[in-house]
Every structure is written in C-alpha cells, then in structure tokens.
Amino acid sequence: MRRELHAEWTKLRTLPSTGRLLLAVAVLTVAVSALSAAAVSTRLCRSPGGCHEDTVKLGLSGVGLGQAAVVILGVLAMSGEYGTGTIRTTLAAMPRRSTLFAAKAAVVSGSAMAAGALGVLGSLLAARLILPGNGFTPAAGYPPISLADGPTLRAAAGSVLYLGLIALLSLGAATVLRDSAAAITVVLGLLYAFPVITQLVTDPDWHARMQRYAPMTAGLAIQATRNLGRLPIGPWPGLGVLAAYAGAALLAGGVLLRARDA
C-alpha cells in the first residue's frame, strides 16, 4: 500500500491543475464566508424577538462554493488518466486494482481535507473579526466564534469531513463514468440541483423527506449550532447521508474498475 500511496501522491501533486484547485478550495471558501458575514447585520433583523442567526453556520457558508473545486479535483484525479490513456501504464505498474483505488481515494480525500481545513479556519477567523462590527456581540447574545466551543468545533471538523466525502463521491463518479465533463455535471447536479428541486415540492412531508436525503442539504447540517431541533436531519446523521452517497459511488467505481478493461 505504501508504494501505491507514494505513486498516487506523486501523480496528483505533479498535475498542473492540482495546486490551483486546492488553492481555489481555500480561497473560495474564505472569500464567500467573509462576504456572507459582511452582508448580515443585526440592524437588518425584522423579527420581533431580534436576530436568531447561526453565526457559525454563516461563517462557514463558503464551503458550499468551495466544494465545486473539490468536485473537479476528485473527478480529474481519475478521469484524467482515462482521458490521456495513462491508466494503462498505472494498472501495468500497480496491478492490484483495489489497492490502487484505495490509495487514490486516500490521497485525493486527504488533499481536499487539507485545503478544506485551511478554508474552514480562515472562514471562522474572518467571521470572528467581521461579525462583531455588524452587531453580533456578546451583549446581543452572540459570543465570539471559538473552536473551544463544542458545537463550533463539531461544525468546523464536520465541514472538513464534508469536503473529504465530496472528493470521494467525485472520484467514485469519475471511475464509473470515465469522462470528466459527464462526471462533473452529474456530481454538481446532484449537489446543487437537488436542493432547487426540493424547493419546488409543495407537500410538506415530501419536502422534509427530500431535504433529509439531498446530499448537500443533509451533509451541511453538520454546520448548524443553533436550533438543531428544527433541522430536517441532525448534524451527524446528515453527514452520514453524504457518506452513504460517497460509499455507494466508491463501491460502484471499485467494482467497475476491477471488472472493465482499461
């Protein structure tokens, strides 16, 4: 396994797109989170009881866009080899396909989580600096964002795990489809179109059910730190839903990688 891990890491880090995509994960996450924090103010609240903003979730809102770069990274890690034909060389050098696939999954998800961790920490720091100036102060019932707070730490760590699972979902889809454009379209559609379709459902039972099983909506429940009882699904069960999607994609990809010719 060590040889496969070293080979996959060497391939991934030498791709010209890898550095740009990992940088995009961190930069997009921080930028969108900072803009979201700057756009919200207690002065804009219209509720008689005042604001009920989940400042931690708000501070992590950039993960929803940063994941797009993770999707592209996960897809290109596999489909790029099929597109160039280097998959034949890879399989000739490392004929144990299951071990090869596991090593690729570990390297891709690990890289995504490393970049995601930088983005998450930067986002929380930006929110901690910006939000007090918009009225989200301890006096208003909003203590400073801190990783020493259990729910905040869970939201931060869960967001990093979320991005790792998105990378695995994308890798699995790329292995099944073998085409970069098709795999990126399918995964992004699954993530971004599913919530839009959910909003068009008028039946409240089906609406709640679809929110519980939409991969992005369910997975990002891990970021919530307030009013957890109002969520369609709990933070950890929601992340479990995304893990099930990623696991199914990896299982299908692994089976087809072993069964098909290069």
Side-chain angles (χ1 to χ4, degrees):
M1 184 68 168
R2 182 180 300 178
R3 185 169 69 95
E4 286 82 0
L5 284 170
H6 182 267
E8 290 303 319
W9 169 240
T10 300
K11 284 190 291 183
L12 186 66
R13 68 180 175 83
T14 53
L15 285 174
S17 60
T18 299
R20 293 193 293 267
L21 288 171
L22 292 175
L23 180 63
V25 173
V27 171
L28 287 174
T29 300
V30 175
V32 174
S33 296
L35 288 173
S36 298
V40 178
S41 171
T42 56
R43 295 185 294 272
L44 301 176
C45 294
R46 297 290 182 262
S47 173
C51 286
H52 301 282
E53 192 71 54
D54 188 335
T55 52
V56 174
K57 186 171 184 178
L58 177 66
L60 293 171
S61 56
V63 172
L65 183 60
Q67 67 179 347
V70 173
V71 170
I72 298 172
L73 174 72
V75 167
L76 292 182
M78 177 58 81
S79 63
E81 291 201 59
Y82 281 108
T84 59
T86 55
I87 187 65
R88 298 183 182 88
T89 304
T90 296
L91 294 177
M94 295 176 286
R96 295 186 299 174
R97 299 191 179 195
S98 297
T99 304
L100 165 67
F101 194 49
K104 190 179 288 289
V107 168
V108 171
S109 61
S111 300
M113 287 192 291
L118 293 176
V120 164
L121 291 175
S123 296
L124 291 178
L125 177 60
R128 180 185 172 95
L129 296 174
I130 294 171
L131 288 173
N134 291 347
F136 294 95
T137 61
Y142 293 93
I145 294 175
S146 172
L147 290 177
D149 177 58
T152 302
L153 180 60
R154 183 254 300 154
S159 295
V160 175
L161 290 173
Y162 174 89
L163 291 173
L165 290 171
I166 293 296
L168 294 176
L169 172 63
S170 305
L171 179 68
T175 309
V176 171
L177 297 172
R178 293 186 171 188
D179 180 79
S180 299
I184 291 172
T185 300
V186 167
V187 177
L188 291 181
L190 185 64
L191 294 175
Y192 293 119
F194 210 138
V196 175
I197 296 172
T198 300
Q199 296 304 315
L200 300 177
V201 177
T202 57
D203 183 273
D205 292 333
W206 274 102
H207 180 81
R209 190 174 292 118
M210 291 181 70
Q211 282 190 311
R212 286 195 294 271
Y213 298 118
M216 185 171 77
T217 305
L220 289 179
I222 195 67
Q223 296 179 342
T225 61
R226 290 190 171 201
N227 303 315
L228 300 186
R230 299 181 183 179
L231 296 175
I233 190 169
W236 289 115
L239 198 65
V241 169
L242 177 60
Y245 276 93
L250 287 174
L251 178 61
V255 169
L256 290 176
L257 181 64
R258 287 174 60 89
R260 294 188 302 201
D261 293 333

